[in-house]
Amino acid sequence: MAISPIEQSDAERISEEIHKLVDAVETVVIGKRPVVEMAMLALLCRGHLLIEDIPGVGKTTLAKALARVIGGEFRRIQFTPDLLPSDVTGSTIYNQKTGEFQFHAGPVFANVVLADEINRTTPKTQSALLEAMEERTVSVDGETHQLPAPFFVIATENNVELLGTYPLPEAQMDRFFAKVALGYPDSRAEAEILSSHQFEDPIDRLEPITDPDSFHQLQEETRRVWVEDSVRDYIVTIVAATRSHPRVALGSSPRGSLALMAASQSWAVFHRRPYVVPDDVKRMAEPVMTHRIIGRPDSQGRTPSAGQIVQEILDSTPTPVYSRS
């Protein structure tokens, strides 16, 4: 059965729904609309988000707010050096009354999972999330268990406290749809934060805007945003350039191409369009690609930033002339 692209009316409806969700989250994550939008688009794309930032800027609040507005279940996993894979996925326990082994689900079985300070645990425990993030399933003792839909992981890294951390392996980094940073709020936003918290936590007033099933439907519709051949070729050219760039030691995998296309689809529909244009790809390239690139030091030992490399690639790649058929 052929799957048809969405219509203009569908794009407008989806855009209106997503804007409502973003507006609601922004009432508790104040002054950070670009990050809120990126987090919502990652959720819309069935991706996962990595946040590298300082403590206390609202990472947990963002995760809770996203879960609240979609009417989903929120779980937080505090990653520590002694955390075991079974503490994440769950385990099979023998029931003496029934004489059978029963699976007890771990905290990963939720719609929005906050993997807090993910780089503080061992690579073995970090890898417990790999199957969940990619396949949306968990395998324990030879049995596969389906995770709820939607399923969204927000992982945080602390870029200040370096002691006692384990770097995320490339396979783990590649499974994140995008990487963002919240940063400090400006003075006006911080004053508004103080005012909103004076009498109660504003997240307690946050009401669901939709439900998990309805949001899952939005995810499926977003996958039907039209991407014409020239735009797909443009995405492939950009990603391929990360592998051949002279200042890159490791470029993006094909998973990066898929993520960039999905991101472009979500950005297009967010702006009420049922089709992707090259500017959508350019807008999404940096947040989607930078964490997938490892720079190569030059003769003086200076390593270029991934953001610089992505911008160089965008500047040197011819933009296709878009003509929707």
Side-chain angles (χ1 to χ4, degrees):
M1 179 179 176
I3 299 176
S4 60
I6 62 172
E7 301 293 336
Q8 179 63 42
S9 59
D10 297 319
E12 292 174 358
R13 172 178 49 81
I14 296 170
S15 177
E16 183 178 349
E17 288 293 323
I18 299 303
H19 274 88
K20 287 180 182 178
L21 295 169
V22 170
D23 291 343
V25 173
E26 199 184 13
T27 63
V28 295
V29 184
I30 298 171
K32 296 296 177 181
R33 188 174 182 89
V35 176
V36 173
E37 289 180 354
M38 198 67 230
M40 187 61 69
L41 295 182
L43 178 54
L44 186 64
C45 289
R46 296 158 54 93
H48 307 286
L49 191 67
L50 179 62
I51 304 178
E52 183 180 77
D53 218 323
I54 54 179
V57 293
K59 299 184 292 290
T60 302
T61 300
L62 173 61
K64 286 183 176 180
L66 288 170
R68 184 70 63 90
V69 296
I70 67 168
E73 183 179 4
F74 169 79
R75 295 283 186 88
R76 173 177 175 168
I77 307 173
Q78 186 64 50
F79 281 77
T80 56
D82 59 347
L83 193 73
L84 299 175
S86 59
D87 295 329
V88 176
T89 61
S91 57
T92 303
I93 300 176
Y94 181 72
N95 188 325
Q96 292 183 341
K97 291 184 179 180
T98 62
E100 298 177 345
F101 285 93
Q102 296 179 342
F103 176 67
H104 289 249
V108 76
F109 284 82
N111 297 111
V112 177
V113 176
L114 176 64
D116 203 17
E117 295 186 306
I118 190 174
N119 57 337
R120 286 209 176 278
T121 196
T122 62
K124 181 179 181 180
T125 303
Q126 289 177 10
S127 66
L129 277 177
L130 291 179
E131 179 189 359
M133 293 173 67
E134 183 69 16
E135 308 294 336
R136 286 167 171 76
T137 58
V138 166
S139 297
V140 177
D141 294 334
E143 291 190 11
T144 300
H145 307 272
Q146 191 71 38
L147 291 166
F151 174 69
F152 183 49
V153 173
I154 294 183
T156 70
E157 286 187 299
N158 192 327
N159 61 358
V160 176
E161 299 173 14
L162 300 179
L163 294 177
T165 61
Y166 300 85
L168 291 181
E170 286 76 13
Q172 183 89 47
M173 291 287 286
D174 198 33
R175 279 168 169 78
F176 286 102
F177 168 82
K179 180 179 179 181
V180 298
L182 281 162
Y184 290 119
D186 59 31
S187 299
R188 180 178 297 180
E190 191 161 3
E192 190 174 344
I193 292 171
L194 296 181
S195 177
S196 66
H197 282 76
Q198 184 171 0
F199 301 109
E200 61 179 337
D201 190 336
I203 202 168
D204 294 334
R205 303 192 302 266
L206 197 58
E207 296 292 336
I209 305 297
T210 185
D211 59 80
D213 289 340
S214 298
F215 192 85
H216 181 60
Q217 181 61 35
L218 294 179
Q219 290 178 318
E220 294 300 313
E221 290 181 294
T222 300
R223 299 176 75 174
R224 292 165 47 206
V225 171
W226 177 251
V227 185
E228 76 164 24
D229 292 345
S230 65
V231 177
R232 282 199 297 270
D233 292 342
Y234 184 51
I235 292 171
V236 170
T237 301
I238 290 171
V239 175
T242 68
R243 304 164 193 158
S244 59
H245 194 285
R247 299 205 294 169
V248 171
L250 180 66
S252 174
S253 72
R255 190 182 284 117
S257 301
L258 293 170
L260 185 53
M261 183 175 72
S264 303
Q265 289 175 300
S266 68
W267 186 254
V269 78
F270 186 65
H271 290 85
R272 306 168 68 87
R273 276 185 283 102
Y275 54 89
V276 174
V277 298
D279 282 347
D280 299 326
V281 179
K282 291 180 179 180
R283 175 61 181 81
M284 291 288 102
E286 185 170 340
V288 171
M289 301 301 299
T290 51
H291 65 290
R292 306 173 193 272
I293 297 172
I294 298 177
R296 187 192 305 276
D298 60 18
S299 58
Q300 296 179 335
R302 295 174 300 188
T303 302
S305 71
Q308 290 176 332
I309 293 171
V310 170
Q311 191 57 54
E312 287 178 8
I313 291 173
L314 292 177
D315 291 342
S316 61
T317 303
T319 304
V321 177
Y322 181 82
S323 58
R324 190 186 182 200
S325 58

